[in-house]
Amino acid sequence: MAKTPRRSTTRASKKTKYIFVVGGVMSGVGKGVSSSSVAKLLQARGLTATAIKIDPYVNVDAGTMNPTEHGECFVLKDGLETDQDMGNYERFLNVDLPANNYMTTGSVYQSVIERERNLGYGGKNVQVVPDIPLEAIRRIKKAGELAKADVVLTEVGGTVGEYENILFIEAIRMMKAELPGQVAVVMVSYMPVPGSIGEMKTKPTQHAARTLSASGVFADIIIARAPVAIDKKRKEKIAKFCNVLPENVISAPDVPSIYDIPLMFEREGLSERLCSMLKLPCKKAIDMRSWKRFVSSSRGDSDAVKIAVVGKYFSSGDFVLSDVYISVLEAIKYSAYKLGLTPEITYLSSQSFTDKKKLRELKKYDGILVPGGFGKTGVEGKLNVIEYARKQGVPYFGLCYGMQLAVLEYARNVLKLKNASTEEINPKAKELVIGVMDEQREKIAQADMGGTMRLGQYKAVLMPKTIAREAYKQAEVLERHRHRYEVNNAYVPALEAAGVIFSGTSPKGDLMEIMELSKSEHPFFVGVQFHPELQARPLNPHPLFTAFIKASYENK
Ligand code: GLN
């Protein structure tokens, strides 16, 4: 962890402006995407924009949470394990964000307590208010400094009126008071249209605005999330009861794709409203050309490419969760669009493939992807799927666990090491083809599990004349990691002799980063120890995903 600075506040640059996004009424209405879209529009007006996510839970980061609880864990370049909204910001803005830009109640308290232990408060009484909000404010200002930003956008997780995020709402109030004219608040609120009456209701939003005002904060802009567009009459009603100008009520009906949202906000004049409200040095004309080109590439009736994603974190009660692999899904889409294809992505639960008869269902798909994962649930199913992809010549892309299991499958079925396993699920197995990394052994023994995996960006060097090297078109790459286990080097010579090509390794050559099979054996069989999906961007698709999708389409 970075050392906590002694001073609890930093000075805001005079020019930096701060936009806060809070949620009204309920969660899950697209606050993260709304925030990303606002930042995107300001960027497209020529401003330097950066984005922060505040998660109100006590966990210090998102790394220890079950993905079915919290969705995907998005790893930043410098290794912090964060919320998937950080991924949206990076994808929309096409920038890498630093660890400073993600905070939780737990991480803020941790800094304050550490500073107190280091006498950083000079003997004073350290209090929940103001010291907790002040630490949040310090980080918000620091984000502006790090990015030399004209505007810092901060999304406060949860909805107004909850206990959990109240200290962050207080931080907004304090910043508004300290920096008049430099802070704007956007509330993303939900306007239900109950089926029984068929009329859009604004009352829940009025209550949310009132709750927010009870904390001393007024929204400057209200984004009206609803199944349909909000009409003039209701805009006026919200304006009257929630203290905003009617033109500051932004209509945000459901749209086919999240990438339409910035364009929709712009039609409502949102960036212009923010620029004039905060006196931002915006360009007169917005430049969304490349974004529009991307959005139109995602339309059309181009040929389909059918990809099966075989994972384990898909169900929650009776509901299917796609959020858990959101970066993977988006990465597939960007590459498909780039190739002029329509991606059809199906989530399949790995557990069902424990029964080999079920493998027949895979015939429908042009390519198979096994994403990252942990633990033993569904592993035998994944191994069966990988064996099927290898033997049937179906393009296969394995990410992290998906790579480790591809190596394991090869060891079991080609090297005939019938008892081969990964130390993660069977530490007593005789043939530990995948073993725990040396540096991890002690951490596991001490149950020191939070933020201690091999995390963040590391370099890999690529072997010439391989699928990986040809896809990347460069000799070295930087990719983001999140793992405790690795290919056991003791088995590398045998695996290589049997046909596995380790086409990417750490610069010292001691860590296997990419495995593949020769193109003469299989059209596309590639596993990577890292998470390429974390660096795939709409305007910058990931070369390995593109190679995988291309091979899948050619396999049709
Ligand atoms: N469970 C594996 C490990 O810790 C893979 C992790 C992952 O897929 N992110 O090494």
Side-chain angles (χ1 to χ4, degrees):
M1 229 197 86
K3 233 182 141 28
T4 309
R6 293 176 72 86
R7 277 197 313 138
S8 63
T9 51
T10 48
R11 219 161 258 292
S13 126
K14 248 204 204 122
K15 324 189 287 299
T16 307
K17 305 292 161 66
Y18 302 92
I19 297 173
F20 288 91
V21 179
V22 299
V25 179
M26 65 185 203
S27 64
V29 297
K31 185 152 49 79
V33 175
S34 296
S35 305
S36 307
S37 301
V38 172
K40 177 78 210 166
L41 290 176
L42 295 172
Q43 187 190 53
R45 288 248 176 207
L47 302 175
T48 304
T50 191
I52 296 179
K53 173 76 194 283
I54 300 181
D55 267 331
Y57 45 69
V58 180
N59 304 58
V60 172
D61 58 40
T64 53
M65 273 178 282
N66 185 329
T68 53
E69 288 263 318
H70 181 259
E72 172 188 87
C73 170
F74 189 85
V75 182
L76 300 180
K77 176 176 157 180
D78 43 18
L80 189 69
E81 296 168 287
T82 74
D83 178 77
Q84 55 180 335
D85 281 327
M86 295 299 284
N88 277 324
Y89 299 160
E90 289 201 350
R91 290 189 279 266
F92 274 65
L93 293 175
N94 203 6
V95 297
D96 292 341
L97 293 170
N100 174 77
N101 289 27
Y102 180 70
M103 68 183 105
T104 66
T105 295
S107 75
V108 170
Y109 267 91
Q110 194 177 49
S111 295
V112 169
I113 291 169
E114 245 173 58
R115 186 181 296 121
E116 184 276 323
R117 294 286 82 185
N118 299 335
L119 304 182
Y121 289 94
K124 283 224 216 51
N125 183 356
V126 183
Q127 294 178 300
V128 170
V129 176
D131 293 299
I132 299 300
L134 277 175
E135 170 60 19
I137 292 170
R138 189 191 67 75
R139 296 185 190 192
I140 292 165
K141 290 179 180 173
K142 173 108 180 274
E145 289 165 13
L146 289 173
K148 297 193 178 53
D150 298 305
V151 56
V152 178
L153 185 133
T154 303
E155 176 191 349
V156 178
T159 39
V160 299
E162 286 171 1
Y163 278 115
E164 278 210 315
N165 60 16
I166 193 73
L167 292 171
F168 298 110
I169 306 281
E170 175 65 2
I172 304 177
R173 192 198 61 73
M174 287 167 66
M175 275 189 90
K176 261 200 154 177
E178 181 196 340
L179 306 168
Q182 275 177 254
V183 178
V185 176
V186 176
M187 182 166 80
V188 179
S189 196
Y190 189 65
M191 320 275 161
V193 184
S196 52
I197 42 178
E199 182 199 330
M200 182 186 285
K201 295 309 239 177
T202 62
K203 191 62 70 60
T205 295
Q206 295 177 39
H207 282 298
R210 179 175 303 172
T211 307
L212 187 61
S213 70
S215 315
V217 176
F218 288 87
D220 300 292
I221 289 187
I222 292 181
I223 294 181
R225 278 287 299 117
V228 292
I230 184 169
D231 60 352
K232 188 155 170 278
K233 187 168 164 203
R234 280 161 193 82
K235 272 194 178 181
E236 280 163 3
K237 203 163 173 184
I238 289 188
K240 192 188 294 165
F241 293 114
C242 304
N243 267 312
V244 292
L245 298 170
E247 60 266 37
N248 289 349
V249 181
I250 304 295
S251 176
D254 291 345
V255 282
S257 139
I258 58 170
Y259 302 107
D260 289 318
I261 293 173
L263 302 171
M264 171 172 80
F265 284 178
E266 195 48 23
R267 284 194 292 275
E268 289 279 298
L270 179 57
S271 70
E272 206 278 311
R273 302 296 314 145
L274 282 166
C275 289
S276 68
M277 192 179 286
L278 289 170
K279 301 199 172 45
L280 281 159
C282 289
K283 287 210 179 104
K284 269 230 158 64
I286 194 159
D287 183 2
M288 292 292 279
R289 278 172 298 177
S290 49
W291 193 262
K292 280 186 180 157
R293 236 175 286 131
F294 161 73
V295 171
S296 55
S297 75
S298 71
R299 301 277 200 271
D301 44 9
S302 49
D303 280 3
V305 58
K306 295 197 177 92
I307 305 296
V309 175
V310 183
K312 78 166 185 183
Y313 303 112
F314 282 135
S315 52
S316 165
D318 290 341
F319 299 91
V320 173
L321 305 169
S322 54
D323 266 14
V324 175
Y325 302 109
I326 179 147
S327 294
V328 176
L329 304 181
E330 298 309 300
I332 294 173
K333 290 184 198 166
Y334 306 154
S335 288
Y337 299 153
K338 181 180 171 162
L339 296 166
L341 300 170
T342 301
E344 281 178 19
I345 303 165
T346 308
Y347 323 119
L348 299 171
S349 169
S350 51
Q351 262 137 295
S352 66
F353 296 107
T354 314
D355 175 4
K356 282 199 175 185
K357 277 191 244 104
K358 293 271 165 57
L359 291 169
R360 267 185 251 135
E361 285 173 28
L362 292 172
K363 274 212 178 97
K364 302 199 266 284
Y365 304 102
D366 307 323
I368 296 174
L369 185 149
V370 173
F374 295 85
K376 64 167 173 284
T377 318
V379 160
E380 293 305 320
K382 285 182 191 171
L383 288 166
N384 288 341
V385 168
I386 295 167
E387 180 183 11
Y388 169 91
R390 183 175 58 78
K391 289 187 172 160
Q392 302 300 317
V394 181
Y396 173 76
F397 196 18
L399 312 179
C400 204
Y401 214 17
M403 178 258 204
Q404 296 174 358
L405 296 177
V407 171
L408 179 56
E409 186 277 324
Y410 210 83
R412 281 192 188 172
N413 298 327
V414 181
L415 292 186
K416 304 285 177 212
L417 302 175
K418 285 289 162 223
N419 298 316
S421 193
T422 156
E423 201 164 352
E424 181 168 357
I425 57 178
N426 183 8
K428 296 206 181 80
K430 255 180 74 199
E431 317 271 9
L432 288 175
V433 176
I434 307 297
V436 68
M437 303 179 77
D438 282 340
E439 68 206 46
Q440 292 291 331
R441 215 168 277 284
E442 205 177 317
K443 291 172 187 162
I444 296 174
Q446 295 173 351
D448 175 14
M449 304 298 258
T452 58
M453 280 187 246
R454 179 170 180 257
L455 289 166
Q457 214 170 50
Y458 288 91
K459 192 187 279 178
V461 294
L462 308 181
M463 186 190 278
K465 298 203 176 69
T466 57
I467 296 177
R469 176 68 196 262
E470 274 165 25
Y472 279 109
K473 297 189 177 62
Q474 58 195 66
E476 286 183 358
V477 294
L478 285 166
E479 290 283 2
R480 297 187 195 174
H481 296 71
R482 183 175 188 239
H483 62 119
R484 283 188 209 281
Y485 299 84
E486 62 176 339
V487 174
N488 181 346
N489 285 338
Y491 292 89
V492 167
L495 286 161
E496 283 179 332
V500 174
I501 302 164
F502 288 104
S503 53
T505 66
S506 57
K508 278 195 199 144
D510 55 347
L511 200 146
M512 301 306 121
E513 292 275 22
I514 310 180
M515 69 83 76
E516 59 184 75
L517 298 181
S518 156
K519 264 194 166 162
S520 58
E521 300 287 313
H522 193 289
F524 188 99
F525 193 95
V526 176
V528 292
Q529 181 55 80
F530 44 83
H531 290 275
E533 71 274 19
L534 302 177
Q535 299 196 115
R537 309 264 166 86
L539 304 183
N540 211 359
H542 194 286
L544 283 181
F545 274 90
T546 307
F548 166 61
I549 299 298
K550 186 162 180 283
S552 301
Y553 181 66
E554 284 163 2
N555 163 55
K556 252 175 122 74

